Amino acid sequence: PRTALLFLSPKDLYTAPDSCEGRCEEPYSEEDECHCDAECESRYSCCEDYYVHCRPEGFSSSRDAITDEELLHVSEQLYGADHNKARPNDIAINPQYRAAPDETGDQEDHSPEPLYAYVNEKLFSKPTYASFIRLLDNYQRATGREEEVTAEELREQDNFLKEVMKTELMKKLFTFLHKKNRYSSEQEFLTDLKEMWFGLYSRSDGEKDSSGFEHVFSGEIKKGKVSGFHNWIRFYLLEKQGLVNYFSHNFDGPWDTYPDVLGLQFSWDGFYKEVGSAFIGCSPEFEFGVYTLCFIARPGRACHLSLGGHSVSIQTYTWPKSTYSHGKRYIATAYVVSP
């Protein structure tokens, strides 16, 4: 009998070199950009979407993929649920000098006044703020120095997670990720949040000296420069102590309410930050939730959201050199992109 000829479109034959779609269990070849075989986890060479396409359990079908439209919709939901954010009269900022793109590396203090003219510190007694602020003194800011985590610090992490999970914002985020088969229970989500954000890894010399939370919210010093540090509360508290000196801003978001977005130039104890973008006036759970959403939905890529009708993008990066529970990646960084 004649063999039926199968006509395949080029699309069926082509698979993207940086994707595992249609490549699960493909034999290892060192020429490939990234890999999709069972051993790729131990080699740290899996493609970014390996867990989406090839992981035996959990989500794999296209209906569980998070679309760009869904990201716009769920981010508006989170924005609307940020009940703990600053009200317009809770904060007065004084942005002063606006740096041109070619001036952000100047390390010149163009703004004689502090950035924060006023903050209503009653905000800080709200449970999510209070538990967040308690975490900020838990870190050695120099990379290469091992973090010693005490029992009290572990309790502070748990307490912060417990408080944020009580909020409508984080409940909405869990509901969305649950529908997308990322997590089967709130407890599973909580356990993963703790590892993803607070799990320790090494940024230098093999010492467990860093975590996503430390880098993003508290800030680190690496090779003589400020690394991470994208949080307005941390900035305000250090500026008030005279430890942060505001130099200029290179971007001011389109908002006339909070959370606003600023790209900042500043010095922290003499160490410089060329562009430290931050949401100003949001609650800790808003930033924590939005960064988590983007890290899960678009790891290592720009994640396009809508907040109060305005477009905003979050960039996250995964930490490639170490993993936890079945090859999941830690957060290396997450920040709002200032154009």
Side-chain angles (χ1 to χ4, degrees):
R2 279 186 310 176
T3 312
L5 287 173
L6 290 174
F7 290 99
L8 291 173
S9 74
K11 187 176 153 297
D12 295 325
L13 296 170
Y14 175 77
T15 57
D18 60 350
S19 169
C20 279
E21 190 170 3
R23 290 179 54 206
C24 297
E25 292 310 313
E26 179 183 87
Y28 171 78
S29 159
E30 65 180 38
E31 283 159 26
D32 289 338
E33 200 171 304
C34 58
H35 305 105
C36 307
D37 59 308
E39 281 71 58
C40 71
E41 290 181 53
S42 54
R43 285 196 309 272
Y44 303 123
S45 70
C46 301
C47 299
E48 216 161 66
D49 58 3
Y50 171 76
Y51 305 103
V52 179
H53 296 295
C54 309
R55 205 166 57 161
E57 83 292 352
F59 65 101
S60 61
S61 68
S62 56
R63 80 193 151 81
D64 290 334
I66 295 171
T67 66
D68 290 348
E69 290 69 33
E70 285 169 329
L71 281 174
L72 297 177
H73 179 69
V74 73
S75 54
E76 282 292 2
Q77 280 196 321
L78 300 183
Y79 181 77
D82 190 10
H83 307 307
N84 286 326
K85 70 181 175 190
R87 302 283 167 243
N89 57 353
D90 284 333
I91 299 179
I93 55 172
N94 181 13
Q96 300 161 83
Y97 188 79
R98 179 151 190 177
D102 62 349
E103 292 181 303
T104 59
D106 284 358
Q107 306 199 24
E108 281 190 42
D109 183 357
H110 294 289
S111 304
E113 302 293 318
L115 174 62
Y116 288 92
Y118 169 75
V119 170
N120 176 4
E121 294 196 6
K122 285 190 181 139
L123 279 171
F124 300 161
S125 59
K126 293 175 183 244
T128 57
Y129 285 80
S131 58
F132 173 81
I133 290 167
R134 272 187 219 110
L135 291 167
L136 295 175
D137 65 359
N138 290 355
Y139 297 103
Q140 291 266 13
R141 67 181 185 180
T143 57
R145 292 176 66 182
E146 185 157 11
E147 293 293 342
E148 303 284 342
V149 185
T150 65
E152 185 188 0
E153 288 170 359
L154 288 171
R155 277 197 300 278
E156 288 174 350
Q157 292 172 10
D158 288 337
N159 191 44
F160 170 70
L161 291 169
K162 187 182 87 194
E163 291 300 342
V164 296
M165 285 309 297
K166 287 179 189 171
T167 64
E168 184 193 342
L169 189 153
M170 288 298 284
K171 287 193 182 302
K172 278 192 187 308
L173 176 59
F174 167 70
T175 301
F176 174 74
L177 294 171
H178 178 59
K179 276 191 190 135
K180 289 288 170 188
N181 284 324
R182 297 308 196 274
Y183 299 100
S184 57
S185 68
E186 209 169 290
Q187 185 53 52
E188 188 190 347
F189 181 44
L190 196 63
T191 303
D192 198 37
L193 283 173
K194 183 162 184 178
E195 276 297 332
M196 177 196 307
W197 280 104
F198 293 103
L200 292 172
Y201 51 80
S202 168
R203 278 187 199 262
S204 65
D205 306 332
E207 300 287 356
K208 291 208 165 183
D209 59 357
S210 188
S211 68
F213 185 91
E214 175 184 8
H215 181 84
V216 171
F217 294 104
S218 186
E220 298 180 297
I221 305 295
K222 187 175 184 186
K223 295 184 178 160
K225 285 189 173 163
V226 177
S227 181
F229 196 142
H230 299 284
N231 179 256
W232 77 271
I233 300 165
R234 173 73 163 161
F235 189 101
Y236 165 75
L237 293 171
L238 288 176
E239 186 179 61
K240 189 178 156 187
Q241 292 171 38
L243 297 172
V244 156
N245 181 7
Y246 169 70
F247 283 12
S248 57
H249 68 287
N250 64 303
F251 174 73
D252 187 353
W255 287 268
D256 49 13
T257 177
Y258 297 114
D260 198 354
V261 176
L262 279 181
L264 306 170
Q265 288 69 52
F266 61 91
S267 141
W268 176 18
D269 262 357
F271 298 101
Y272 188 62
K273 181 72 178 180
E274 192 167 323
V275 181
S277 58
F279 284 110
I280 310 288
C282 64
S283 68
E285 62 267 26
F286 173 81
E287 230 174 332
F288 192 70
V290 166
Y291 291 158
T292 299
L293 169 68
C294 284
F295 184 71
I296 291 168
R298 301 283 184 273
R301 283 179 290 158
C303 170
H304 304 299
L305 307 179
S306 177
L307 304 178
H310 295 289
S311 299
V312 68
S313 299
I314 305 287
Q315 177 71 47
T316 64
Y317 287 102
T318 59
W319 185 250
K321 295 175 188 166
S322 47
T323 58
Y324 68 92
S325 69
H326 306 305
K328 286 187 167 189
R329 296 282 169 92
Y330 295 105
I331 292 176
T333 192
Y335 53 89
V336 55
V337 178
S338 54

